[in-house]
Amino acid sequence: MSNATKAPAGWGFLALELDGATGGAAGGGTAGGPALAAAVLAAESAGFHALTFRDSPEAGRLNALQRAAFAGPLTRSIALIPEVGTAYTEPFQVSTQLASLDYVTGGRAGWIATADDDRAAAAAVGRRHVTGAGLAREAAASIEVSRRLWDSWEDDAVIRDVASGRYVDAGKLHYADFDGPGYSVKGPSIIPRPLQGQVPVLVPASLTGDGLVEPTAVDAVLVSAPTPELVADEVREVRERLGGRAAPAVVVELDVVLDARGQSAAQRLAGVDLPGVQPAGAERARFAGSPAALADLLTELLEVADGVRLHPAGLAVDLEELSRLVLPELRRRGVLAPVPLDGTLRDMLGLERPASRYAATAVGN
């Protein structure tokens, strides 16, 4: 669904992962709610373009979509993008929840569509365990049916005609008629079309390509490499593989551990268990060093990528350094796009608002 007008070279956006914002407490609970609210407002004040919410299981915590919805009314400009799995979720429910999030945020919602090899998740919902190429098929099907459901209400379907007692024009509602792997969805949706028309979909690059999720079905891909030095080459390879200039937007994944509060990044890594740090040998690149060196690296990455998603090792500490030293320097250098006030995530990605694909077959009165 990508139909982007690319920003000028060197202009990009920064997203921040908030997985550690609530610690072990529930996202909307007594301890977790204030912590999440504080982190969201601090990130928006710092000038980040987007927040992402990882859906890692944690006892007593709201899921990623619920945490994003909690953050929606608190914010005005920052995009909110939860991770929502596709292998063991109900696509109809996912599509309606994401459409609701788009309304809650005023058009700032996005979706990181994941597909994990998770035997426990399959057992929890009584579904067959999916592996290998089956995960990409699940992701492709979930994205396609969600897009059909978002289009199943035309933009002017809601008429609120008091005289006739009609809330909607049934002629503007359409069936999705989708047959997926082990399920079917008739439609239409139970919620009007999202404010953005189509909620932007981001997918890991490993799930995208020939025989996987089609590049035309997504709006951005997430890319990383084992080390920061290899990321730029990986971005170029993914762009070429997915269609060159016609490829979706590319967003780099980067772990960040900064020198902070009198400790070097190496000391912080050695001294405590940092919740945002992946184990050694993980596929996501890790930067460890000074804020100035990180600004240099991000400047280089934003010359080849459309955006960077930062995964801070310790959210409270690293967000403070990012806000105080890194983002101001990137803005001084002119490598960050402006944060669109009252804009949408599609605006930020350079995407036009699409028309509904349906125009003929109505549900009927």
Side-chain angles (χ1 to χ4, degrees):
M1 293 293 293
S2 178
N3 186 16
T5 303
K6 299 290 185 183
W11 277 32
F13 62 88
L14 284 184
L16 181 72
E17 169 55 45
L18 283 191
D19 191 43
T22 59
T30 302
L36 178 57
V40 165
L41 293 174
E44 184 172 54
S45 177
F48 279 95
H49 299 79
L51 295 174
T52 66
F53 301 81
R54 186 165 172 259
D55 204 15
S56 54
E58 190 170 316
R61 185 173 73 167
L62 300 176
N63 66 32
L65 219 162
Q66 292 167 327
R67 299 200 310 279
F70 172 82
L74 304 176
T75 55
R76 177 181 174 185
S77 61
I78 199 164
L80 304 175
I81 313 174
E83 288 188 6
V84 184
T86 57
Y88 308 113
T89 53
E90 293 290 342
F92 188 92
Q93 304 301 329
V94 169
S95 73
T96 55
Q97 289 169 2
L98 287 165
S100 296
L101 179 64
D102 205 41
Y103 279 98
V104 168
T105 61
R108 293 177 283 121
W111 174 23
I112 298 176
T114 60
D116 298 324
D117 185 343
D118 190 338
R119 190 178 297 275
V125 296
R127 286 201 60 190
R128 175 180 57 84
H129 180 218
V130 181
T131 60
L135 292 170
R137 287 194 293 271
E138 291 281 354
S142 187
I143 293 168
E144 173 61 19
V145 71
S146 293
R147 291 199 181 280
R148 293 192 191 189
L149 288 167
W150 292 331
D151 277 348
S152 65
W153 290 52
E154 295 185 36
D155 288 320
D156 56 351
V158 178
I159 56 175
R160 298 183 179 90
D161 189 335
V162 176
S164 65
R166 293 185 304 154
Y167 177 73
V168 299
D169 179 351
K172 300 294 180 70
L173 305 183
H174 306 276
Y175 292 124
D177 283 330
F178 182 82
D179 290 318
Y183 62 85
S184 62
V185 175
K186 185 68 175 176
S189 180
I190 57 173
I191 188 171
R193 196 164 189 243
L195 293 177
Q196 297 181 91
Q198 290 279 325
V199 175
V201 179
L202 297 77
V203 174
S206 59
L207 282 175
T208 315
D210 292 339
L212 304 171
V213 179
E214 289 294 327
T216 55
V218 305
D219 301 300
V221 292
L222 304 172
V223 175
S224 193
T227 68
E229 293 76 17
L230 298 174
V231 171
D233 287 340
E234 184 68 15
V235 168
R236 296 185 185 97
E237 188 279 328
V238 167
R239 279 201 196 279
E240 183 64 26
R241 177 170 63 84
L242 299 184
R245 293 180 62 85
V250 174
V251 182
V252 168
E253 300 264 50
L254 184 67
D255 282 358
V256 172
V257 191
L258 291 173
D259 301 342
R261 299 184 182 180
Q263 286 188 308
S264 69
Q267 289 173 321
R268 292 181 63 209
L269 279 169
V272 294
D273 180 22
L274 295 173
V277 173
Q278 284 195 323
E283 293 184 0
R284 196 163 65 220
R286 176 194 295 170
F287 170 86
S290 70
L294 176 60
D296 290 340
L297 174 61
L298 292 175
T299 299
E300 295 173 8
L301 293 177
L302 290 171
E303 288 292 333
V304 295
D306 298 282
V308 179
R309 179 193 188 194
L310 301 178
H311 297 255
L315 182 62
V317 175
D318 290 304
L319 176 54
E320 180 180 312
E321 299 302 300
L322 290 165
S323 304
R324 189 169 62 90
L325 298 173
V326 178
L327 270 76
E329 175 60 18
L330 293 175
R331 295 202 184 281
R332 187 190 69 79
R333 298 181 186 187
V335 299
L336 289 185
V339 177
L341 293 177
D342 299 320
T344 69
L345 179 54
R346 296 189 72 87
D347 293 336
M348 190 182 79
L349 293 173
L351 300 171
E352 298 175 357
R353 189 182 188 279
S356 171
R357 71 188 67 190
Y358 299 113
T361 307
V363 170
N365 294 299

